[in-house]
Amino acid sequence: PEGSLRELVTQAYGQASAVLVARAESVEDVGLPRTRQRTRFVAIESWKGKHGDRFITDIEVMCCVCGYSFMEGREYLLYLYGPDEDGSYKTNTCSRTRPVTPELAVEIEVLRSMVKGL
């Protein structure tokens, strides 16, 4: 994608139904042979959405569907879509969803400043 970080974050924020940092509490492989992953998260800091303090993602992780796999105990910056009828959210590898790292601090500051400006 082309554009400044602020432009890319603004676009992703506009497309997502929820944007937040959360920690993966538990990860469960479901379906045979492990075609989906159901992850329970606890919210840490939120900028968009009504996901509550705890919420679930249900992601197709089989080959070639852009599913995102999470690791228990890690924190993630999540750009989520949904919720589905069962209350679970989706995301994918083509979104800005990724593990929280020191390099991600700049994007998190962009989100904080965007929300202050709304």
Side-chain angles (χ1 to χ4, degrees):
E2 294 183 25
S4 70
L5 177 62
R6 187 171 191 82
E7 291 169 334
L8 295 171
V9 170
T10 300
Q11 180 182 9
Y13 181 93
Q15 294 171 346
S17 58
V19 181
L20 69 153
V21 170
R23 185 179 62 254
E25 286 188 300
S26 66
V27 178
E28 176 186 8
D29 291 324
V30 292
L32 292 174
R34 298 186 324 177
T35 57
R36 291 186 3 255
Q37 191 181 71
R38 196 164 179 84
T39 305
R40 294 184 192 284
F41 283 94
V42 61
I44 296 171
E45 183 175 2
S46 178
W47 300 282
K48 183 179 184 181
K50 298 181 188 230
H51 42 72
D53 292 339
R54 287 187 160 69
F55 60 94
I56 295 171
T57 61
D58 193 341
I59 311 284
E60 294 287 332
V61 293
M62 63 185 182
C63 173
C64 313
V65 293
C66 299
Y68 199 103
S69 294
F70 297 104
M71 291 179 57
E72 193 170 308
R74 290 213 54 191
E75 292 181 7
Y76 293 88
L77 172 58
L78 301 168
Y79 289 82
L80 301 174
Y81 309 96
D84 289 342
E85 293 172 5
D86 67 356
S88 67
Y89 289 86
K90 305 281 187 230
T91 192
N92 59 59
T93 57
C94 296
S95 72
R96 297 192 65 81
T97 290
R98 59 189 173 275
V100 172
T101 62
E103 295 78 24
L104 206 57
V106 175
E107 183 164 341
I108 290 171
E109 284 305 315
V110 169
L111 286 163
R112 288 175 179 150
S113 71
M114 283 174 47
V115 172
K116 284 181 188 175
L118 294 179

